[in-house]
Amino acid sequence: MSDWNDKIIVEFRANGGQVGGQFAGAPLLLLHTVGAKSGQPRVHPMMYQKVDGGYAVFASKGGAPTNPDWYYNLLAHPQAEAEIGTDKVELVARVAAGNERERIWSAQKAAYPGFADYERKTTRQIPVVVLEPAP
């Protein structure tokens, strides 16, 4: 994990899910995944959007040409956990498609224009992942 992520994780946990800097005031969660290749636990801070029945997260990777590792972790192991504020929630991930993806993605770009910038930087379609409560 990067020092940058480590600092955000420490700040998030020390302040009940609130952080400063570029994420100040933004909805942020800590996504716990299992490494697709390593099988090791991973923690990823990221912005989310509340959606019917769960949360959406965005595999933007700042507009890089490849998807982030956490996306592949969820494809391999869709059972996940998220820290949201001071709560821990057991979740199951699925990739949104079609109209559902477009509706969620358009709302994210409208609320946080940086996501539109990420989209312009890359030729890939940025995946939208819906995290729903585990049964």
Side-chain angles (χ1 to χ4, degrees):
M1 186 177 318
S2 73
D3 288 342
W4 186 80
N5 279 353
D6 288 342
K7 289 176 186 173
I8 292 171
I9 291 166
V10 168
E11 184 179 2
F12 181 99
R13 289 177 174 159
N15 296 295
Q18 299 299 311
V19 300
Q22 73 184 67
F23 290 117
L28 191 71
L29 59 75
L30 300 181
L31 181 65
H32 295 249
T33 66
V34 174
K37 294 178 184 174
S38 70
Q40 296 299 306
R42 304 282 185 232
V43 181
H44 318 274
M46 64 186 67
M47 289 179 64
Y48 71 92
Q49 179 189 133
K50 286 186 179 181
V51 296
D52 289 342
Y55 311 90
V57 293
F58 309 91
S60 62
K61 198 176 177 181
T66 59
N67 292 319
D69 291 343
W70 64 260
Y71 174 75
Y72 297 107
N73 294 351
L74 289 175
L75 291 180
H77 307 284
Q79 298 289 335
E81 182 180 85
E83 294 176 55
I84 303 171
T86 57
D87 295 329
K88 285 189 178 180
V89 183
E90 297 293 325
L91 301 162
V92 178
R94 65 177 177 79
V95 178
N99 290 337
E100 179 188 37
R101 182 207 174 270
E102 288 307 315
R103 177 179 44 79
I104 295 168
W105 180 241
S106 293
Q108 188 69 10
K109 292 187 298 181
Y112 299 96
F115 284 86
D117 293 339
Y118 302 153
E119 185 175 54
R120 283 189 287 275
K121 289 180 181 178
T122 188
T123 57
R124 68 184 170 90
Q125 183 180 70
I126 294 173
V128 173
V129 178
V130 176
L131 304 168
E132 298 171 317

